[in-house]
Amino acid sequence: MKDKKIGLFGAVSIGVGGMVGGGIFAVLGEAVSFAKGATVIAFLLAGIVALLTSYSYAKFSVKFPSRGGTVVFVDNAFGHNLLSGSLNLVLWISYLVTISLYSIAFASYAQTFFPTLKGFYLEHILISLAILVPSFINVVSATFVSRSELVVVIIKVVLLLLIIFTSFTYVDSSRVAIENFSDPLSIFVAGMIIFVAYEGFELIANSSEEIENPEKNLPRAFYISVVLVIVLYLLIAYITVGTVDEKQLLEAKDYALAVAAKPALGNIGFVLVTIAALLATFSAINATVYGNARLGFTLARDGELPKKLNEQRNNIPFAGVVSTALISLVMANSIDITKIAIIASASFLLIFTIINISALKMYKELDANKYLLILSSLVSFTALLTLLYNTYEKNLNALIIFCSFLLFSIIFEFFYGKIARDDKFLESN
């Protein structure tokens, strides 16, 4: 049996690192464009959904510690069938979407270093490099991915805290007053659009086998990491909206956080945040390519993706890395950041709703509070429906793309997954 080496601090670091990745740099401007002065409330609403869902993950992780995480939890609740197989594909596609989101954010911040060269071609070159370089690193040296993550997490959190502490005296409280709020529905929708900034806490579940004293440390790690990130995001949102004119934020929507650093730290602050954003988004792409290639390898082994993705070179899922990079390149270069953020958030809200329902189905086995799980399921499902309804009203193309991904996952699993598993059954007999 493998020695457990990760303590509470390490587990919390995994959760915080997973959440404070490229998401906050990518979607802050989107939140401001929808919620305006109520951006803080939008982040709080999204955080509440994440915190409620972390209860389900904590209970599942203690009962079924596994690197499979989400995949294993749904399989235990519903068995290996069309639902679980389709959800596994949705999860795989969702990570492709987040890679696309991070790469677009990377390009937006990187372009600020080339003020005279901004344009269509530069943007897409930077987007492509943001995906291709990490993918190459994954193929050449997978160990670099895990070794670099802790350093990057420390750098970006320190820089974010620096912005918060130096900017408080520059806040104009009138900018976050009620009269500058959007309508309640827009505030709630803003929170759900930027929900992708919270999704990384589920990575703790993938490390559950290695956590010391898991019965105590796993639940604590989930709750502490989510609460810490909620507080961090609320402070960032407060500083951003309170120190910079709304019009200026919307003009620089794709790199809003860098603009928010200027009142207190001037151009140095702008450059520091831009560098932090580039590091954060690059490392997030690096880590997501790493994880998704291995998820693709697992799904291919189980007959839910083509066997080609089961190929390895030097213990690295080479085909998984290449396919992840190629599909992400197409998505990132063909879908704008607003649609990408909506699709990513909707995908994870769907996954987390099913996790909450799975936990509710097994509440006795998990020794969980039935009523809290009912609340978690209702809240996450309502959040998903609200986001989808608003997307139908205001961004129909994003809804069509999201539904296409779902339909593809179900059809693919129904035909290919069934055939592959039947072949396996025949081979074993």
Side-chain angles (χ1 to χ4, degrees), residues 34 185-186 189 342 385-400:
F34 278 84
L185 179 60
S186 295
V189 169
I342 291 171
L385 285 184
T386 305
L387 176 58
L388 294 180
Y389 176 76
N390 183 79
T391 305
Y392 170 76
E393 292 279 313
K394 298 182 178 179
N395 204 326
L396 184 58
N397 287 339
L399 180 62
I400 291 171

mmCIF file of all heavy atoms in Angstrom, residues 34 185-186 189 342 385-400:
data_model
loop_
_atom_site.group_PDB
_atom_site.id
_atom_site.type_symbol
_atom_site.label_atom_id
_atom_site.label_comp_id
_atom_site.label_asym_id
_atom_site.label_seq_id
_atom_site.Cartn_x
_atom_site.Cartn_y
_atom_site.Cartn_z
ATOM 1 N N PHE A 34 -21.513 41.829 -16.283
ATOM 2 C CA PHE A 34 -22.876 41.395 -15.958
ATOM 3 C C PHE A 34 -23.383 42.000 -14.647
ATOM 4 O O PHE A 34 -24.522 42.477 -14.572
ATOM 5 C CB PHE A 34 -22.948 39.866 -15.863
ATOM 6 C CG PHE A 34 -23.078 39.170 -17.183
ATOM 7 C CD1 PHE A 34 -21.960 38.879 -17.948
ATOM 8 C CD2 PHE A 34 -24.321 38.801 -17.673
ATOM 9 C CE1 PHE A 34 -22.074 38.240 -19.167
ATOM 10 C CE2 PHE A 34 -24.453 38.161 -18.895
ATOM 11 C CZ PHE A 34 -23.324 37.873 -19.651
ATOM 12 N N LEU A 185 -31.325 39.139 -11.280
ATOM 13 C CA LEU A 185 -31.088 38.016 -12.185
ATOM 14 C C LEU A 185 -29.711 38.110 -12.828
ATOM 15 O O LEU A 185 -28.984 37.107 -12.909
ATOM 16 C CB LEU A 185 -32.171 37.955 -13.266
ATOM 17 C CG LEU A 185 -32.011 36.826 -14.301
ATOM 18 C CD1 LEU A 185 -32.041 35.461 -13.616
ATOM 19 C CD2 LEU A 185 -33.097 36.914 -15.371
ATOM 20 N N SER A 186 -29.327 39.313 -13.259
ATOM 21 C CA SER A 186 -28.010 39.501 -13.890
ATOM 22 C C SER A 186 -26.883 39.212 -12.912
ATOM 23 O O SER A 186 -25.839 38.663 -13.291
ATOM 24 C CB SER A 186 -27.875 40.935 -14.425
ATOM 25 O OG SER A 186 -28.794 41.167 -15.457
ATOM 26 N N VAL A 189 -26.737 35.424 -12.576
ATOM 27 C CA VAL A 189 -26.178 34.869 -13.817
ATOM 28 C C VAL A 189 -24.677 35.130 -13.887
ATOM 29 O O VAL A 189 -23.899 34.254 -14.290
ATOM 30 C CB VAL A 189 -26.889 35.470 -15.049
ATOM 31 C CG1 VAL A 189 -26.140 35.121 -16.331
ATOM 32 C CG2 VAL A 189 -28.321 34.973 -15.129
ATOM 33 N N ILE A 342 -19.145 30.570 -20.413
ATOM 34 C CA ILE A 342 -20.492 30.041 -20.179
ATOM 35 C C ILE A 342 -20.501 28.520 -20.305
ATOM 36 O O ILE A 342 -21.048 27.810 -19.458
ATOM 37 C CB ILE A 342 -21.496 30.663 -21.180
ATOM 38 C CG1 ILE A 342 -21.713 32.151 -20.869
ATOM 39 C CG2 ILE A 342 -22.830 29.913 -21.138
ATOM 40 C CD1 ILE A 342 -22.506 32.886 -21.928
ATOM 41 N N LEU A 385 -29.891 25.734 -14.389
ATOM 42 C CA LEU A 385 -31.066 26.121 -15.179
ATOM 43 C C LEU A 385 -31.091 27.624 -15.438
ATOM 44 O O LEU A 385 -31.408 28.074 -16.547
ATOM 45 C CB LEU A 385 -32.344 25.700 -14.459
ATOM 46 C CG LEU A 385 -32.709 24.215 -14.491
ATOM 47 C CD1 LEU A 385 -34.062 23.996 -13.807
ATOM 48 C CD2 LEU A 385 -32.762 23.681 -15.919
ATOM 49 N N THR A 386 -30.760 28.409 -14.418
ATOM 50 C CA THR A 386 -30.752 29.868 -14.572
ATOM 51 C C THR A 386 -29.724 30.305 -15.610
ATOM 52 O O THR A 386 -30.004 31.152 -16.464
ATOM 53 C CB THR A 386 -30.443 30.554 -13.225
ATOM 54 O OG1 THR A 386 -31.378 30.098 -12.242
ATOM 55 C CG2 THR A 386 -30.538 32.061 -13.348
ATOM 56 N N LEU A 387 -28.545 29.714 -15.540
ATOM 57 C CA LEU A 387 -27.497 30.044 -16.507
ATOM 58 C C LEU A 387 -27.929 29.665 -17.920
ATOM 59 O O LEU A 387 -27.761 30.441 -18.870
ATOM 60 C CB LEU A 387 -26.198 29.327 -16.133
ATOM 61 C CG LEU A 387 -25.028 29.494 -17.123
ATOM 62 C CD1 LEU A 387 -24.686 30.967 -17.319
ATOM 63 C CD2 LEU A 387 -23.803 28.721 -16.642
ATOM 64 N N LEU A 388 -28.500 28.476 -18.068
ATOM 65 C CA LEU A 388 -28.921 28.021 -19.396
ATOM 66 C C LEU A 388 -30.063 28.874 -19.947
ATOM 67 O O LEU A 388 -30.083 29.195 -21.148
ATOM 68 C CB LEU A 388 -29.342 26.551 -19.343
ATOM 69 C CG LEU A 388 -28.237 25.543 -19.028
ATOM 70 C CD1 LEU A 388 -28.793 24.136 -19.008
ATOM 71 C CD2 LEU A 388 -27.087 25.658 -20.025
ATOM 72 N N TYR A 389 -31.006 29.258 -19.079
ATOM 73 C CA TYR A 389 -32.122 30.095 -19.533
ATOM 74 C C TYR A 389 -31.611 31.455 -19.997
ATOM 75 O O TYR A 389 -32.010 31.955 -21.057
ATOM 76 C CB TYR A 389 -33.142 30.281 -18.411
ATOM 77 C CG TYR A 389 -34.268 31.218 -18.785
ATOM 78 C CD1 TYR A 389 -35.291 30.796 -19.631
ATOM 79 C CD2 TYR A 389 -34.290 32.537 -18.315
ATOM 80 C CE1 TYR A 389 -36.322 31.655 -20.000
ATOM 81 C CE2 TYR A 389 -35.306 33.409 -18.680
ATOM 82 C CZ TYR A 389 -36.313 32.953 -19.522
ATOM 83 O OH TYR A 389 -37.323 33.826 -19.892
ATOM 84 N N ASN A 390 -30.718 32.064 -19.216
ATOM 85 C CA ASN A 390 -30.171 33.360 -19.604
ATOM 86 C C ASN A 390 -29.356 33.252 -20.890
ATOM 87 O O ASN A 390 -29.387 34.151 -21.740
ATOM 88 C CB ASN A 390 -29.283 33.912 -18.479
ATOM 89 C CG ASN A 390 -28.759 35.290 -18.798
ATOM 90 O OD1 ASN A 390 -29.458 36.294 -18.654
ATOM 91 N ND2 ASN A 390 -27.512 35.356 -19.239
ATOM 92 N N THR A 391 -28.641 32.135 -21.025
ATOM 93 C CA THR A 391 -27.854 31.916 -22.246
ATOM 94 C C THR A 391 -28.769 31.776 -23.452
ATOM 95 O O THR A 391 -28.468 32.286 -24.543
ATOM 96 C CB THR A 391 -26.969 30.659 -22.095
ATOM 97 O OG1 THR A 391 -26.165 30.792 -20.915
ATOM 98 C CG2 THR A 391 -26.056 30.477 -23.296
ATOM 99 N N TYR A 392 -29.891 31.111 -23.273
ATOM 100 C CA TYR A 392 -30.896 30.988 -24.344
ATOM 101 C C TYR A 392 -31.405 32.370 -24.759
ATOM 102 O O TYR A 392 -31.583 32.656 -25.949
ATOM 103 C CB TYR A 392 -32.057 30.121 -23.869
ATOM 104 C CG TYR A 392 -33.240 30.113 -24.793
ATOM 105 C CD1 TYR A 392 -33.228 29.377 -25.978
ATOM 106 C CD2 TYR A 392 -34.383 30.860 -24.497
ATOM 107 C CE1 TYR A 392 -34.319 29.379 -26.845
ATOM 108 C CE2 TYR A 392 -35.477 30.867 -25.340
ATOM 109 C CZ TYR A 392 -35.440 30.130 -26.521
ATOM 110 O OH TYR A 392 -36.516 30.138 -27.369
ATOM 111 N N GLU A 393 -31.603 33.244 -23.766
ATOM 112 C CA GLU A 393 -32.130 34.580 -24.037
ATOM 113 C C GLU A 393 -31.093 35.492 -24.683
ATOM 114 O O GLU A 393 -31.432 36.293 -25.564
ATOM 115 C CB GLU A 393 -32.599 35.217 -22.720
ATOM 116 C CG GLU A 393 -33.820 34.562 -22.104
ATOM 117 C CD GLU A 393 -35.112 35.034 -22.738
ATOM 118 O OE1 GLU A 393 -35.281 36.251 -22.903
ATOM 119 O OE2 GLU A 393 -35.945 34.169 -23.085
ATOM 120 N N LYS A 394 -29.819 35.373 -24.271
ATOM 121 C CA LYS A 394 -28.828 36.386 -24.654
ATOM 122 C C LYS A 394 -27.633 35.868 -25.439
ATOM 123 O O LYS A 394 -26.891 36.657 -26.023
ATOM 124 C CB LYS A 394 -28.326 37.110 -23.393
ATOM 125 C CG LYS A 394 -29.427 37.850 -22.649
ATOM 126 C CD LYS A 394 -28.889 38.579 -21.443
ATOM 127 C CE LYS A 394 -30.000 39.357 -20.733
ATOM 128 N NZ LYS A 394 -29.513 40.062 -19.525
ATOM 129 N N ASN A 395 -27.406 34.553 -25.429
ATOM 130 C CA ASN A 395 -26.229 34.037 -26.130
ATOM 131 C C ASN A 395 -26.548 32.635 -26.635
ATOM 132 O O ASN A 395 -25.948 31.640 -26.203
ATOM 133 C CB ASN A 395 -25.024 34.009 -25.175
ATOM 134 C CG ASN A 395 -23.705 34.052 -25.924
ATOM 135 O OD1 ASN A 395 -23.592 33.509 -27.023
ATOM 136 N ND2 ASN A 395 -22.700 34.680 -25.330
ATOM 137 N N LEU A 396 -27.478 32.570 -27.567
ATOM 138 C CA LEU A 396 -28.013 31.285 -28.027
ATOM 139 C C LEU A 396 -26.928 30.371 -28.592
ATOM 140 O O LEU A 396 -26.978 29.148 -28.399
ATOM 141 C CB LEU A 396 -29.095 31.528 -29.087
ATOM 142 C CG LEU A 396 -29.832 30.286 -29.599
ATOM 143 C CD1 LEU A 396 -30.510 29.548 -28.455
ATOM 144 C CD2 LEU A 396 -30.845 30.677 -30.663
ATOM 145 N N ASN A 397 -25.929 30.950 -29.265
ATOM 146 C CA ASN A 397 -24.868 30.120 -29.848
ATOM 147 C C ASN A 397 -24.103 29.340 -28.787
ATOM 148 O O ASN A 397 -23.730 28.180 -29.013
ATOM 149 C CB ASN A 397 -23.891 30.993 -30.651
ATOM 150 C CG ASN A 397 -24.489 31.462 -31.953
ATOM 151 O OD1 ASN A 397 -25.441 30.858 -32.463
ATOM 152 N ND2 ASN A 397 -23.955 32.537 -32.513
ATOM 153 N N ALA A 398 -23.883 29.977 -27.632
ATOM 154 C CA ALA A 398 -23.189 29.281 -26.541
ATOM 155 C C ALA A 398 -24.018 28.098 -26.052
ATOM 156 O O ALA A 398 -23.476 27.022 -25.761
ATOM 157 C CB ALA A 398 -22.914 30.244 -25.383
ATOM 158 N N LEU A 399 -25.330 28.285 -25.967
ATOM 159 C CA LEU A 399 -26.214 27.200 -25.533
ATOM 160 C C LEU A 399 -26.210 26.059 -26.553
ATOM 161 O O LEU A 399 -26.184 24.883 -26.181
ATOM 162 C CB LEU A 399 -27.640 27.722 -25.346
ATOM 163 C CG LEU A 399 -28.678 26.692 -24.888
ATOM 164 C CD1 LEU A 399 -28.312 26.126 -23.521
ATOM 165 C CD2 LEU A 399 -30.068 27.313 -24.849
ATOM 166 N N ILE A 400 -26.211 26.417 -27.833
ATOM 167 C CA ILE A 400 -26.191 25.397 -28.888
ATOM 168 C C ILE A 400 -24.903 24.569 -28.807
ATOM 169 O O ILE A 400 -24.932 23.336 -28.917
ATOM 170 C CB ILE A 400 -26.335 26.051 -30.281
ATOM 171 C CG1 ILE A 400 -27.748 26.625 -30.444
ATOM 172 C CG2 ILE A 400 -26.046 25.040 -31.392
ATOM 173 C CD1 ILE A 400 -27.927 27.472 -31.685
#
